[in-house]
Amino acid sequence: SSPYRHEPVEDWYIVGEEIGSGHFAVVKKVVCKRSGTEFAAKFIRKKRASTSRRGARREDIEREISILQELNHVNIIKLYDIFEDKQDVTLILELVSGGELFDFIAERDVLHESEATAFIAQVLEGLAHMHLKNIAHLDLKPENILLTNRAQAVIKLIDFGISRKIEDGKNEIQMLGTPEFVAPEVIAYEPLGLYTDMWAVGVITYILLSGCSPFLGDNKQETFANICAVDFSFDDEFFGNTSDLAKDFIRGLLVKHPGRRASVTDCLSHPWIKLF
Ligand SMILES: Cc1ccc2c(c1)c1c3c(c(C)cc1n2CCCN)C(=O)NC3=O
């Protein structure tokens, strides 16, 4: 039997409202009956028959779990417990109350540069912890960056569903994150790496500062064409008041050749991040 707990989640937690849903998973707020502490429970539907298209494959569930178990950083959501029953594997995760960075931007339209660097610096700290262990997130986007609360806003990276250990040269993964945020190598089916996350940091920073998405087209094909052509610009209408340092930071990330793209270490020592 699997090392996961086979008692019903409901024996230990009061299951509350749904707060999110993904490919094969539903996320609900739960309260621990013993401690009264709130958590997020991610119910991952298991694939029943090997031929079924519904449900997550066992090896994908186990990969997400082993990656979460290897990570231990203030900017990465913590995994506390794992349950399994006939139809789901359920992850008991740290709950943060501030919701998505995405909503935070939506409410504010755009952020002041000092707010943006405070968020991006924390994304970089969490990524540095992952990249040190050769783990790439591969699905970085504002929806997967949560805030602890609106005040001092500590960010937490979530959703390691397509995250991978990068063994050099072996990661020709035919997978796709979200079109708006994927790097050129993903579209070209070339090897993915830690550098794939760095492209996404460039896209996210561009959005934080302008409210616009640099490569978004009217459809997926157009978006992919814009990405492969690295066709973006700093329109004065949105970037008129943006510092040259901020633009330089983004330019260092939206680079087609992965080897020439800024690494997480380069970014953490970039003056735009160190300055604020
Ligand atoms: C306050 C709030 C609101 C929505 C939340 C969460 C928390 C949340 C959380 C998690 C996940 C995987 C998804 C979550 N979602 C779903 C949306 C994430 N893209 C999680 O692991 N901890 C959360 O707090």
Side-chain angles (χ1 to χ4, degrees), residues 12-215:
W12 298 88
Y13 295 90
I14 299 161
V15 179
E17 62 172 318
E18 182 176 318
I19 51 179
S21 62
H23 224 32
F24 302 126
V26 167
V27 184
K28 297 185 178 181
K29 263 188 189 175
V30 298
V31 179
C32 173
K33 289 181 178 176
R34 281 179 42 187
S35 64
T37 310
E38 278 192 314
F39 294 92
K42 182 174 179 181
F43 298 83
I44 306 171
R45 181 56 47 87
K46 294 191 295 188
K47 190 186 280 286
R48 302 298 283 267
S50 61
T51 52
S52 154
R53 283 155 42 92
R54 287 202 317 278
R57 291 182 311 167
R58 182 111 210 140
E59 65 258 37
D60 293 336
I61 297 173
E62 291 185 345
R63 183 190 304 110
E64 179 174 1
I65 288 170
S66 66
I67 282 176
L68 276 167
Q69 288 174 326
E70 189 175 343
L71 300 174
N72 176 27
H73 189 273
V74 65
N75 296 124
I76 294 170
I77 214 85
K78 281 192 177 20
L79 172 63
Y80 289 102
D81 215 341
I82 308 158
F83 290 81
E84 174 165 14
D85 65 18
K86 208 161 168 43
Q87 81 177 13
D88 294 326
V89 172
T90 303
L91 311 185
I92 303 299
L93 297 149
E94 173 186 4
L95 176 73
V96 288
S97 59
E100 297 175 4
L101 176 58
F102 192 76
D103 300 320
F104 189 79
I105 312 167
E107 284 158 22
R108 314 279 292 271
D109 190 23
V110 293
L111 301 182
H112 187 79
E113 281 194 31
S114 56
E115 286 177 301
T117 54
F119 284 134
I120 295 300
Q122 292 180 67
V123 171
L124 294 169
E125 295 290 352
L127 273 186
H129 179 73
M130 293 175 63
H131 289 188
L132 212 58
K133 296 167 182 276
N134 270 337
I135 294 172
H137 187 285
L138 300 179
D139 196 15
L140 279 181
K141 52 187 176 180
E143 295 89 340
N144 286 340
I145 301 171
L146 300 185
L147 305 177
T148 49
N149 58 43
R150 299 307 168 93
Q152 96 274 16
V154 171
I155 71 103
K156 305 269 178 180
L157 302 181
I158 60 164
D159 204 343
F160 296 78
I162 56 174
S163 180
R164 290 283 196 292
K165 269 270 193 197
I166 299 295
E167 278 94 30
D168 273 338
K170 261 188 264 157
N171 281 281
E172 314 245 346
I173 301 167
Q174 182 206 332
M175 49 116 274
L176 223 38
T178 306
E180 230 179 305
F181 301 91
V182 295
E185 60 271 15
V186 175
I187 298 167
Y189 293 104
E190 284 158 3
L192 312 186
L194 304 177
Y195 43 74
T196 307
D197 285 338
M198 301 319 294
W199 174 279
V201 171
V203 176
I204 291 166
T205 307
Y206 186 105
I207 294 173
L208 282 189
L209 291 172
S210 66
C212 305
S213 190
F215 302 108

Side-chain angles (χ1 to χ4, degrees), residues 264-275:
V264 67
T265 315
D266 297 333
C267 288
L268 282 167
S269 55
H270 188 283
W272 186 62
I273 293 294
K274 292 190 86 67
L275 187 70

Side-chain angles (χ1 to χ4, degrees), residues 179-180 213-226:
E180 230 179 305
S213 190
F215 302 108
L216 191 60
D218 297 333
N219 55 54
K220 225 158 60 160
Q221 285 65 29
E222 214 179 278
T223 303
F224 288 163
N226 295 339

